[in-house]
Amino acid sequence: MLHPLGVVAEAGGVVRLLALADGATRWERNVPAQGAEVTLCRSGDTVLAIWPAVAGAAGGITALAIADGRELWRRPVPALLRGESGGQYVAIAAQRDGGESVTVFEAATGKEMLALDRVAGFRSALVQGVLLAQSTGGTALAAYRVAGGEKLWQLADHWTHLVAGDSRHCYTFGPDGRYYGLATATGRQRWSTRTPLDGQIGVGPTEYCAATDTRVWCVEAATGIERWRVTPPPPVGADPAPPGRRWLPTLADDYVCLTGRGELAVLDAADGSITAQVQFPAKVQPLTYAAGRLAHMADGATWLHALD
């Protein structure tokens, strides 16, 4: 992931800060992941290393200061499912008492702010000071204020498949085959639109992007109006695109950046035209973006690209 001080990367349970200019290591710290895959989340000037339980060893979370790598706090998390950051908080989804739960911590201190049982952790989203959570079994979608735990709103049945969200809008995919845009603060419906797409969502300041198979679809977040729909071709010299080719989108200012099985594609957010494509022999890990640069993992290495 990217920070003004450098690129934060992890391999083999070691977290490193790499200088933007030349990739030199500024600091490195071991985390007790016991061989488990580590996920990194950034919250302000804090990086959170999160790993699941493996081979009888508990999962956990360690918070490090990005400036110097010093450990701020550490917590064990049994049966971890996933973790994500949002604003000043980090949310941890885990198995507890036979069901899924979500716990939200303050990233800088590790203070527990909110704990919910019987929610679908993989379908929760943490946006600024609000946790969007779907109940287990898909019976309700609700929003909670992290500070104080107040439930802001709840919608039942029809509004169950949480896809993504930001501080102003959240998005659901309903059983009627339509995408819905809701106001994050109130749950009020802003718009709905029918689309054959059912893939990943990337959220940006003025639009969000839904991607599946060979197509990429972009609409305005506030209105649901479609801006463009394109089918990116394979990179020059690459094999034909495989059936079921899927994209994971990251919105980066004026660009929509996509990763595929072995590809990186950069599209102009205004019209969907391709500005760059790069082919890799290995899977491209999800992107992080900051200040005109993209960072990702591929081919066993950390890559940094300048969008200009």
Side-chain angles (χ1 to χ4, degrees), residues 221-292:
T223 64
I225 296 173
E226 184 174 321
R227 301 185 65 175
W228 48 262
R229 189 179 301 203
V230 300
T231 302
V236 175
D239 295 331
R245 177 193 194 203
R246 296 179 68 89
W247 294 104
L248 297 176
T250 299
L251 273 75
D253 291 342
D254 298 328
Y255 302 95
V256 177
C257 304
L258 307 167
T259 50
R261 292 174 182 170
E263 301 175 52
L264 166 64
V266 181
L267 280 59
D268 189 320
D271 58 12
S273 60
I274 294 177
T275 63
Q277 271 187 294
V278 183
Q279 185 180 14
F280 297 91
K283 180 181 177 181
V284 178
Q285 301 295 326
L287 301 167
T288 57
Y289 167 80

Side-chain angles (χ1 to χ4, degrees), residues 31-47:
V31 295
Q34 304 291 329
E37 182 177 351
V38 177
T39 298
L40 297 180
C41 295
R42 175 191 164 192
S43 178
D45 294 327
T46 303
V47 61

Side-chain angles (χ1 to χ4, degrees), residues 50-297:
I50 305 167
W51 62 93
V54 292
I61 176 171
T62 294
L64 305 172
I66 295 179
D68 55 15
R70 61 191 168 87
E71 184 174 304
L72 301 176
W73 54 273
R74 181 188 301 182
R75 281 180 178 267
V77 183
L80 179 72
L81 296 174
R82 64 182 285 267
E84 68 162 323
S85 60
Q88 69 192 87
Y89 304 107
V90 58
I92 303 297
Q95 292 279 359
R96 185 164 62 188
D97 298 328
E100 293 182 31
S101 66
V102 174
T103 305
V104 182
F105 302 98
E106 190 173 51
T109 66
K111 178 183 177 181
E112 183 175 311
M113 303 296 296
L114 177 67
L116 298 175
D117 291 323
R118 297 180 296 279
V119 297
F122 276 103
R123 290 182 175 174
S124 62
L126 184 60
V127 292
Q128 304 302 324
V130 175
L131 176 70
L132 302 166
Q134 181 180 340
S135 61
T136 303
T139 57
L141 174 65
Y144 301 84
R145 193 183 307 280
V146 172
E150 172 193 3
K151 181 184 286 186
L152 300 176
W153 51 265
Q154 178 172 312
L155 301 172
D157 299 330
H158 181 76
W159 313 87
T160 55
H161 188 85
L162 177 66
V163 179
D166 61 21
S167 59
R168 294 171 298 172
H169 311 100
C170 61
Y171 311 104
T172 68
F173 185 73
D176 58 354
R178 302 181 71 89
Y179 271 119
Y180 290 86
L182 310 176
T184 299
T186 65
R188 182 177 303 171
Q189 180 181 335
R190 293 284 181 83
W191 52 264
S192 70
T193 184
R194 183 172 295 278
T195 171
L197 305 180
D198 62 355
Q200 300 291 324
I201 301 294
V203 179
T206 59
E207 63 274 323
Y208 76 94
C209 176
T212 187
D213 299 329
T214 60
R215 295 162 297 178
V216 183
W217 176 68
C218 189
V219 303
E220 294 180 0
T223 64
I225 296 173
E226 184 174 321
R227 301 185 65 175
W228 48 262
R229 189 179 301 203
V230 300
T231 302
V236 175
D239 295 331
R245 177 193 194 203
R246 296 179 68 89
W247 294 104
L248 297 176
T250 299
L251 273 75
D253 291 342
D254 298 328
Y255 302 95
V256 177
C257 304
L258 307 167
T259 50
R261 292 174 182 170
E263 301 175 52
L264 166 64
V266 181
L267 280 59
D268 189 320
D271 58 12
S273 60
I274 294 177
T275 63
Q277 271 187 294
V278 183
Q279 185 180 14
F280 297 91
K283 180 181 177 181
V284 178
Q285 301 295 326
L287 301 167
T288 57
Y289 167 80
R293 292 179 172 88
L294 288 170
H296 67 88
M297 298 288 289

